[in-house]
Amino acid sequence: MNPTGYPQGHALLIGVANYQQISSLPAAILNDVNDVAATLSSPHYCAYPPANVVTLLDTNATRAAVLKGLEELAARAGPDDTACVFFSGHGGIVGSPGNEESVLVTVDSDLADIENTSISSNELAVALAQIKAKRLLVFIDACHAGGAAISKRLIDGKGHELKSGYTQDVLAKLAVGSGRALMASCRADEVSAVFPSARNSVFTTALLAGLRGAADKSSSGFIKVFDLFNYVSEEVPKLIPADQHPIFKADNLEVNFAIALSQGGKKSPHSPETTPMVQKEVPWSVLEKILVELYPFGPRDQEVWSRAGGDLSRLQLHPTGQAAWHAALRTLKQGGGGRNINFGSLLSTAKEDFANHPQLAMLKIP
């Protein structure tokens, strides 16, 4: 693994501002996608390989192209990878009251035939389920109209108008699965706002700051899913008080998994904020905390235990990655876990994978 990058990171970013048959959205929508793409692929921020970050903007974001993009993401993102899907544009609510369904509105959608020219929540859920990455984070910035800010609404100038946004039930459905999470820009009855002349939407303004390092308050060297949402959910209401509150959905999320490197504003490995913890704590307990963070699915994650010389058959199965690591290290301290594994080999393997992690870099063989 490249110690200066995050090669396991993959992303598909979709933005539509200039619809063919539906009301347009501010240019900030396209800036959102371009800026998130630049941040993810920047070696100074998230360090995804640029080839792994795919964008579909305006005319390139047709129904067929978006579905193909999701299919290609599923093909290239393996089980040990991290995948992000970002959509900024119109979302529409179809169906009768009490039986409402949400659709993702692509550049070629037609309000007169919306159910056949958009991507239904079922189609989107099936496409997301095909992505085998153990860590999948979906961002949706497509919500209801209203309020004083520039907002998102669906009209076509031909007398057709559609309630915009995504229902709570649909957002929950899109987050189903182990290691899957979804972050939406606002509640179902709120506006996802873009202020006049602003470069980015309110939601993406906070998201970009979080990805550029503000969400990594502990200077861990990683942007982690819970930390990112906590940051965004605190910052958005500051930008537009009482009017917009991001929401988070997860079905079976065990740990605060990393989604990217945090290269922006990273503290020195010898920072006084990080050094005392390693000096005061026993190396085994420090290593356990770090391994839970870096390999949240346990010793089988990225085959780290086997690569360090261990024998997975000597370990017991546990329901969470954190429990699996605690039991595995306890076994290792007692001399078990495999003939060729020890503290040093496990530490060395982790350092090979994540050589830029400040606390890991300071750990030494006791």
Side-chain angles (χ1 to χ4, degrees):
M1 186 175 294
N2 184 347
T4 61
Y6 200 74
Q8 66 269 48
H10 297 263
L12 174 65
L13 313 173
I14 305 153
V16 186
N18 300 296
Y19 283 85
Q20 295 173 359
Q21 304 181 65
I22 302 174
S23 51
S24 297
L25 292 170
I29 302 307
L30 305 182
N31 294 337
D32 286 353
V33 172
N34 286 325
D35 292 351
V36 171
T39 299
L40 288 177
S41 59
S42 170
H44 304 298
Y45 293 119
C46 298
Y48 281 34
N52 288 2
V53 180
V54 176
T55 61
L56 296 174
L57 297 175
D58 273 358
T59 57
N60 292 320
T62 63
R63 181 182 186 279
V66 171
L67 290 173
K68 182 180 180 182
L70 289 166
E71 182 180 340
E72 291 174 346
L73 177 62
R76 72 176 187 270
D80 292 326
D81 292 334
T82 298
C84 293
V85 176
F86 179 95
F87 175 76
S88 187
H90 279 310
I93 298 178
V94 299
S96 57
N99 190 33
E100 292 180 328
E101 185 62 90
S102 296
V103 297
L104 187 151
V105 183
T106 55
V107 71
D108 53 343
S109 295
D110 183 353
L111 290 185
D113 188 24
I114 192 66
E115 294 188 20
N116 293 316
T117 60
S118 59
I119 298 175
S120 71
S121 62
N122 286 334
E123 286 180 292
L124 186 54
V126 168
L128 294 175
Q130 298 304 309
I131 300 171
K132 303 306 179 187
K134 291 180 180 176
R135 307 167 188 87
L136 172 64
L137 181 55
V138 179
F139 301 94
I140 292 184
D141 191 358
C143 293
H144 287 62
I150 297 174
S151 309
K152 301 176 180 179
R153 50 197 301 265
L154 282 76
I155 57 175
D156 62 2
K158 301 176 184 178
H160 301 104
E161 184 166 350
L162 193 67
K163 187 177 179 181
S164 68
Y166 264 76
T167 68
Q168 295 289 320
D169 289 345
V170 166
L171 293 177
K173 177 167 64 176
L174 297 180
V176 168
S178 179
R180 274 101 202 290
L182 180 142
M183 195 181 301
S185 57
C186 63
R187 296 170 183 166
D189 58 349
E190 294 178 335
V191 175
S192 182
V194 183
F195 292 118
S197 302
R199 177 170 178 80
N200 300 109
S201 69
V202 171
F203 173 73
T204 302
T205 296
L207 176 63
L208 286 168
L211 290 173
R212 290 169 180 169
D216 182 24
K217 294 182 179 180
S218 65
S219 299
S220 68
F222 290 88
I223 302 298
K224 290 175 281 189
V225 61
F226 293 152
D227 298 341
L228 181 60
F229 175 69
N230 288 340
Y231 176 81
V232 171
S233 65
E234 290 173 358
E235 292 301 311
V236 166
K238 294 179 184 177
L239 297 172
I240 182 166
D243 290 333
Q244 185 173 343
H245 302 83
I247 61 175
F248 184 82
K249 298 286 185 180
D251 176 51
N252 185 20
L253 203 59
E254 295 179 355
V255 294
N256 188 16
F257 64 76
I259 62 168
L261 292 189
S262 175
Q263 303 280 60
K266 185 175 65 177
K267 299 278 194 305
S268 163
H270 302 293
S271 165
E273 289 186 27
T274 57
T275 302
M277 189 193 80
V278 177
Q279 291 176 340
K280 293 178 182 179
E281 293 192 64
V282 178
W284 283 98
S285 62
V286 177
L287 181 62
E288 180 178 331
K289 290 180 180 179
I290 295 173
L291 291 175
V292 169
E293 172 190 286
L294 301 183
Y295 307 96
F297 294 92
R300 289 171 170 76
D301 199 340
Q302 301 184 41
E303 299 183 358
V304 62
W305 193 264
S306 299
R307 289 189 289 118
D311 183 352
L312 286 171
S313 68
R314 305 291 182 89
L315 303 181
Q316 295 180 346
L317 294 176
H318 292 272
T320 68
Q322 184 172 6
W325 273 121
H326 183 74
L329 292 183
R330 182 178 60 206
T331 298
L332 186 58
K333 282 190 285 186
Q334 296 171 348
R339 180 178 300 179
N340 299 315
I341 190 171
N342 53 45
F343 183 100
S345 69
L346 186 56
L347 176 60
S348 296
T349 301
K351 284 185 175 182
E352 289 175 4
D353 287 353
F354 300 97
N356 64 324
H357 191 283
Q359 295 173 2
L360 189 63
M362 289 189 294
L363 266 184
K364 307 296 182 184
I365 300 174

